[in-house]
Amino acid sequence: MPRYDYVCRDCGNSFDIRMSISAYSEGAAPSCPECGSDNATRSFAAVNVLTGSRSAGGAASGACGPSGFR
């Protein structure tokens, strides 16, 4: 089940909720666990992404990577 991040507009508390995609699509409104308010907005956090790039001489020269696979 996906996790959705929210911020309460009344007290500023950040929290996350796990709910089904269908419940989210239907507009389920979470309440803040700190103050009980239902005035929360969805927040989007930054995500780190690691790439599979290799140093010079790696895949370009036909050599196998550290795991032995191409």
Side-chain angles (χ1 to χ4, degrees):
M1 207 175 307
R3 184 188 72 153
Y4 298 95
D5 297 320
Y6 287 88
V7 174
C8 178
R9 290 183 181 177
D10 292 334
C11 71
N13 180 44
S14 296
F15 61 98
D16 61 48
I17 299 284
R18 292 189 186 272
M19 72 174 87
S20 68
I21 294 171
S22 61
Y24 177 77
S25 297
E26 293 170 1
S31 58
C32 176
E34 286 289 318
C35 69
S37 171
D38 61 355
N39 189 15
T41 186
R42 178 113 187 259
S43 66
F44 296 93
V47 178
N48 289 330
V49 177
L50 301 175
T51 64
S53 63
R54 298 180 184 185
S55 62
S61 65
C64 293
S67 63
F69 295 104
R70 288 185 179 212

